[in-house]
Amino acid sequence: MKDALAGTPFWLRGDRTGVWATAPVAGALMALWLCALLGFPTPLAVLASLVGAGGYTALVAWAERRYERLILLDLTVLETRFERITDLRAERASRLVAASELHGHRAPVDA
């Protein structure tokens, strides 16, 4: 989380290793499956697998970046709302005066 707040791109952070380990392989396998389904020749299938590996990884990167931006936007809106609530409570608290602080208005004590 500290890396994200510092502005480090998510692909350089350690918490994304699972995504980066599987995305290229998944993209290459999907491209090979599609090539086999369409009956492409082997050299074209190899090139397609390389393009699939890079393309799927880029798609995952784009989706992750977009997700992080949306989450950051949601958190910013929530933080602004909580700051308003806190400000209103501080305002109300400054207007309240404890009864013990009222000096000139003491009730008479019966002895």
Side-chain angles (χ1 to χ4, degrees), residues 1-94:
M1 174 132 171
K2 290 178 185 178
D3 294 339
L5 293 175
T8 305
F10 73 94
W11 56 273
L12 288 176
R13 289 186 242 144
D15 57 345
R16 301 289 192 244
T17 54
V19 171
W20 299 119
T22 59
V25 175
L29 288 174
M30 283 190 287
L32 284 175
W33 173 76
L34 187 62
C35 288
L37 190 66
L38 298 173
F40 285 1
T42 302
L44 191 56
V46 170
L47 289 175
S49 70
L50 295 175
V51 170
Y56 187 68
T57 305
L59 178 68
V60 169
W62 174 80
E64 285 283 330
R65 258 184 269 128
R66 183 170 166 81
Y67 176 73
E68 282 187 353
R69 273 191 232 122
L70 292 173
I71 292 297
L72 182 61
L73 179 65
D74 286 346
L75 291 177
T76 304
V77 169
L78 283 174
E79 184 177 342
T80 305
R81 287 180 184 166
F82 282 125
E83 284 175 358
R84 284 187 204 149
I85 291 170
T86 305
D87 290 345
L88 290 175
R89 287 184 182 165
E91 235 178 71
R92 283 188 212 141
S94 67

